[in-house]
Amino acid sequence: MSEGGKGSSLAFGQVVIGPPGSGKTTYCHGMQEFMGRIGREVTVVNLDPANEVMPYHCAVDIAELITLPDVMENLKLGPNGGLIYCMEYLEANFDWLQEKLAAFRGHYYLFDCPGQVELYTHHDALKNVFAQLAKWNFRLAAVHLVDSHYCTDPGKFISVLCTSLSTMLHVELPHVNVLSKMDLIEQYGKLAFNLDYYTEVLDLSYLVDHLASDPFFRNYRRLNEKLVEVIEDYSLVSFVPLNVQDKESMRQVMQAVDKANGYSFGDQEHRSLEALMSAAVGADFHFTSTLAVQEKYVQSQDKAVKEEVMDL
């Protein structure tokens, strides 16, 4: 992986980002196992200095370079300041990262990143790490995980949309937004709209109207309208639903990421007609996945209603 060398081979991968608790480590574990079953050689790189328990096989671990507990103890920093210091330290030690990655030439890479939102919205350390990887001929896509429970609260969902948009603009990588933990969505409460409304980010004025029924948010209607206008003006944010336990759901996410980072255009694997059509027409073809989740959710809600009626 020579610096900007035209003769060096391309490397493909994902940088897995998102807030704490969104399921990044679980996603890396599931995707590592899923890709392993279809024949890809996968290397997981842990870039989270606070990640002490990793269920996946970790080939490269930032803990060998620096850890958050050490930084907090020796420099008397809090968790947030410590994480920022760790990322700046990684940025200052690119040679360590390059040497570690060179041992896995030809593999597909999963980068498990920290959960501090500031690192993806306005701090430059991780952004510079990703840019350096691009100079080493890495073709990366950012996989931004968002917990699906935010769909049950319109106010939180607007906040998530703003964060996702800010992250997309700041990180400057091909981006796939993922609604994680879809297998738990029925436990979070009733959705105000069908699931495709949230995955496709349809007309958000309905969401503002729904918020206006709440006395607290009614006072902030104009603010919500302006936020929604910004999101819709860029027209960049949409989501792919994900249930890590479901192979078809994992395949849909993998196809979306493969198209984003260019892997599906290579000759590494036999490509199905659906994968080729997805790349050709620019569609993710995850409608059937969304529909399946929606049907399961509706059936669960109907069952709950019938049980309430029986109790009466």
Side-chain angles (χ1 to χ4, degrees), residues 252-305:
Q252 295 287 347
V253 173
M254 185 188 71
Q255 283 189 339
V257 177
D258 283 351
K259 187 184 72 173
N261 64 18
Y263 187 90
S264 61
F265 294 96
D267 57 359
Q268 291 88 343
E269 297 173 1
H270 174 70
R271 291 168 293 174
S272 67
L273 177 62
E274 182 179 352
L276 287 170
M277 287 296 292
S278 177
V281 304
D284 290 331
F285 284 88
H286 58 260
F287 173 74
T288 53
S289 175
T290 304
L291 186 61
V293 175
Q294 175 66 26
E295 287 177 348
K296 180 180 178 183
Y297 174 80
V298 170
Q299 289 172 0
S300 175
Q301 293 296 314
D302 290 344
K303 182 180 178 182
V305 171

Side-chain angles (χ1 to χ4, degrees), residues 25-183:
T25 298
T26 302
Y27 171 87
C28 288
H29 184 211
M31 190 58 74
Q32 181 186 42
E33 290 189 343
F34 182 80
M35 288 185 171
R37 291 194 184 101
I38 63 174
R40 290 192 197 180
E41 290 186 288
V42 181
T43 293
V44 182
V45 181
N46 176 44
L47 294 183
D48 185 356
N51 200 353
E52 297 178 346
V53 180
M54 292 168 285
Y56 50 72
H57 171 67
C58 183
V60 180
D61 190 356
I62 194 177
E64 298 176 20
L65 178 69
I66 191 170
T67 66
L68 181 60
D70 288 344
V71 169
M72 292 174 61
E73 181 180 351
N74 294 325
L75 299 181
K76 307 305 178 185
L77 294 173
N80 291 339
L83 269 174
I84 290 175
Y85 180 90
C86 289
M87 292 302 101
E88 291 176 344
Y89 191 82
L90 174 63
E91 183 185 0
N93 289 273
F94 280 141
D95 54 341
W96 174 85
L97 183 61
Q98 185 176 25
E99 180 183 348
K100 290 292 184 180
L101 296 177
F104 303 95
R105 192 186 307 271
H107 287 206
Y108 188 98
Y109 296 84
L110 296 172
F111 293 89
D112 189 0
C113 298
Q116 189 178 4
V117 175
E118 294 92 327
L119 293 172
Y120 313 114
T121 56
H122 59 269
H123 195 267
D124 286 336
L126 260 183
K127 174 184 174 181
N128 294 338
V129 171
F130 300 154
Q132 185 62 49
L133 289 170
K135 292 179 181 178
W136 294 337
N137 277 335
F138 278 78
R139 297 296 178 261
L140 301 172
V143 178
H144 183 216
L145 297 182
V146 175
D147 196 317
S148 60
H149 89 268
Y150 290 116
C151 294
T152 60
D153 187 319
K156 290 180 180 178
F157 187 65
I158 290 178
S159 176
V160 161
L161 292 175
C162 291
T163 302
S164 298
L165 178 59
S166 178
T167 301
M168 294 174 77
L169 296 176
H170 184 73
V171 171
E172 297 180 351
L173 283 176
H175 220 83
V176 177
N177 291 303
V178 174
L179 280 177
S180 62
K181 306 180 184 179
M182 291 305 298
D183 52 319

Side-chain angles (χ1 to χ4, degrees), residues 232-245:
E232 292 184 329
D233 284 347
Y234 277 97
S235 191
L236 291 174
V237 185
S238 61
F239 295 93
V240 182
L242 171 66
N243 173 6
V244 176
Q245 307 299 326

